[in-house]
Amino acid sequence: MTADHANRAHAKLSASGSKRWLSCTPSAELEAQFEDSTSSFAEEGTAAHELSEIWLKYHLSQIKAWDHGELWKQAQKGKYYSREMEDYVQGYVSIVLERANEAFKRSKDAIVLLEQRLDFSEWVPHGFGTGDVLIIADGIMEVIDLKYGKGVPVSAEENSQMRLYGLGALDGYGYLYDIQTVRMTIVQPRLDSVSTEELTADDLLSWGEDYVKPRAAMAAAGEGEFAAGDHCRFCKARATCRTRAEDNLKLAKYEFRDGSLLSLDEVGDVLGRIDQLQKWAEDIKKHALDQAEKHGVRYPGWKLVEGRSNRIYSDRDAVQAALLAVGFVEDKILTPRELLGITAMEKAVGKKKFEELLSELIIKPTGKPTLAPEKDPRPELSSTASAAADFTDD
Ligand code: SF4
């Protein structure tokens, strides 16, 4: 049997939400008023974790070939299983096996543990999580976490979730093995991203004692100051939180200088506020619609109505038959068959085959110019005006 990935319990002060409750301590108490929800992305992640565990157990000789075959067959019947998932999971499995082999090279007594409950309640009341992989060898302990999402790359540097897992691992195994270094690694196979932070065990323990412990105690008691920031993105209270609203309204309120037109500086400042304001506005709209539609909530001045819709065929085959019967030819009424889009094709044929057969036939056209903050790592483009000026100078 594989570990119960879907039912990994979520504590009030969970490791995955730690960036939020460490930055905004009363958010843990406020969030408790909201229901837990699950998404198809979370379910897909669970399926990928289960599949990776089946393969890792097999490669690490923790299950017999026959059991592996049976478990794999079951996994392939799952709603989210696809060739694409198999390829990505194999990519993750090879990274883990590489790390495990390095550990065995350092020490023949290396140990590799899968799906370990990591208890960090020494620092966070009732705090625990599950480490996907734990490798211990020669004074070095590595915690590896699979993230199956394909949103944005998540860095392991200063990542509080990974550090809490590291603390849990130290607490659970530090007394058995003399551990000096803790490595915390995040693997995101769909983004080709592997990120590791390495800390001495002493530094990690000091972070736990000096930073986490006092803030976790405040969070558990619902104390401290609300503080809005990037961490609000995944907070259950994000749509109706007063602090976030006030923070955004402060952002929206801008002391414009005189003159009929905005200056370059003023437009630059406004650009820097737009993304956050947009996210907040979208959160409020989504929340209000959800409340009105599913719970019958009425907001003064607003009502639930039917949105605009486009005409659709009720029976496509009947439409085709009716037209052909009166003499219309197929070329006139049918669109030509088209190739699948790149993502759908990758999913249909599998990542490996896709790369093998099509890598030279895929091109990446230049992206449309977009405005980005100065600290963005992409090189600056020259504008049409400056290109024209360069041309004139020549
Ligand atoms: S939305 Fe932001 S400010 Fe409000 S409780 Fe959540 S984390 Fe704190």
Side-chain angles (χ1 to χ4, degrees):
M1 283 284 284
T2 59
D4 189 355
H5 293 267
N7 291 323
R8 289 174 169 191
H10 278 287
K12 179 173 164 193
L13 302 184
S14 68
S16 58
S18 57
K19 168 94 184 4
R20 175 189 40 76
W21 58 254
L22 283 165
S23 312
C24 173
T25 52
S27 66
E29 191 70 31
L30 194 65
E31 264 210 334
Q33 301 174 23
F34 295 81
E35 276 173 20
D36 272 337
S37 61
T38 184
S39 65
S40 58
F41 298 118
E43 287 168 5
E44 187 184 37
T46 300
H49 273 86
E50 283 167 355
L51 185 62
S52 69
E53 194 193 351
I54 293 168
W55 279 107
L56 283 170
K57 278 189 166 167
Y58 171 66
H59 287 299
L60 295 163
S61 308
Q62 296 182 6
I63 48 172
K64 301 225 164 62
W66 192 87
D67 291 330
H68 164 261
E70 284 302 303
L71 289 167
W72 190 35
K73 250 192 254 162
Q74 282 304 319
Q76 288 176 53
K77 289 183 196 146
K79 180 175 165 195
Y80 294 98
Y81 181 87
S82 65
R83 295 182 64 147
E84 189 197 23
M85 176 179 280
E86 185 73 53
D87 288 342
Y88 285 127
V89 162
Q90 292 302 335
Y92 163 71
V93 167
S94 1
I95 292 167
V96 172
L97 293 177
E98 227 171 75
R99 301 281 168 115
N101 286 335
E102 281 165 21
F104 282 113
K105 267 187 215 147
R106 289 199 306 275
S107 159
K108 63 177 178 32
D109 298 324
I111 58 165
V112 183
L113 302 165
L114 304 177
E115 296 300 320
Q116 291 302 297
R117 183 181 158 102
L118 302 174
D119 185 323
F120 47 86
S121 56
E122 173 68 25
W123 300 272
V124 177
H126 311 291
F128 69 91
T130 305
D132 294 331
V133 180
L134 192 60
I135 303 175
I136 306 173
D138 195 27
I140 302 173
M141 176 157 70
E142 179 161 19
V143 185
I144 303 179
D145 192 45
L146 163 66
K147 291 203 185 297
Y148 193 67
K150 58 172 180 180
V152 284
V154 181
S155 170
E157 291 290 333
E158 297 189 23
N159 185 304
S160 56
Q161 177 183 10
M162 294 308 292
R163 286 187 178 186
L164 289 175
Y165 286 174
L167 281 175
L170 262 184
D171 199 53
Y173 297 91
Y175 68 97
L176 286 174
Y177 306 90
D178 180 23
I179 291 158
Q180 289 104 41
T181 305
V182 184
R183 278 184 196 152
M184 290 145 290
T185 297
I186 294 175
V187 182
Q188 288 174 283
R190 292 164 98 185
L191 293 172
D192 249 338
S193 165
V194 181
S195 165
T196 299
E197 179 178 55
E198 185 171 304
L199 291 179
T200 64
D202 287 344
D203 283 349
L204 183 58
L205 288 167
S206 307
W207 177 78
E209 283 299 320
D210 305 340
Y211 178 64
V212 177
K213 212 173 199 171
R215 298 194 74 77
M218 283 163 74
E223 291 167 357
E225 298 282 319
F226 285 102
D230 281 349
H231 52 266
C232 296
R233 226 172 114 208
F234 299 111
C235 180
K236 289 184 198 151
R238 64 186 177 275
T240 45
C241 168
R242 192 168 295 281
T243 303
R244 189 179 182 217
E246 282 168 0
D247 208 66
N248 276 289
L249 289 174
K250 254 189 255 152
L251 271 182
K253 209 161 128 205
Y254 190 86
E255 295 298 325
F256 291 106
R257 293 190 285 274
D258 292 337
S260 2
L261 296 174
L262 299 184
S263 69
L264 295 183
D265 282 349
E266 285 171 326
V267 173
D269 278 347
V270 173
L271 281 174
R273 295 155 193 250
I274 286 177
D275 280 356
Q276 202 174 319
L277 284 169
Q278 232 168 5
K279 264 187 218 134
W280 174 61
E282 278 160 17
D283 284 339
I284 291 192
K285 274 178 96 167
K286 192 166 169 286
H287 169 82
L289 176 62
D290 200 64
Q291 291 295 309
E293 201 182 346
K294 297 191 186 137
H295 306 285
V297 175
R298 291 198 61 144
Y299 296 92
W302 293 85
K303 63 181 178 182
L304 195 64
V305 295
E306 195 181 309
R308 291 183 207 292
S309 73
N310 292 323
R311 295 178 302 165
I312 53 168
Y313 296 123
S314 61
D315 182 339
R316 301 179 72 86
D317 291 338
V319 169
Q320 191 174 333
L323 292 169
L324 293 177
V326 294
F328 282 96
V329 289
E330 287 198 345
D331 280 0
K332 182 107 180 159
I333 62 165
L334 299 176
T335 48
R337 292 208 299 162
E338 277 183 27
L339 274 178
L340 292 176
I342 290 187
T343 311
M345 185 69 85
E346 205 170 22
K347 202 166 182 169
V349 302
K351 195 172 175 247
K352 247 196 233 148
K353 266 271 168 292
F354 181 88
E355 263 167 26
E356 209 176 289
L357 299 170
L358 305 178
S359 60
E360 286 180 14
L361 297 170
I362 307 288
I363 51 163
K364 199 164 184 301
T366 321
K368 261 203 207 154
T370 182
L371 280 172
E374 259 173 21
K375 60 179 192 299
D376 189 282
R378 287 167 289 185
E380 184 162 11
L381 294 177
S382 51
S383 65
T384 337
S386 70
D390 288 351
F391 186 71
T392 324
D393 289 347
D394 289 346

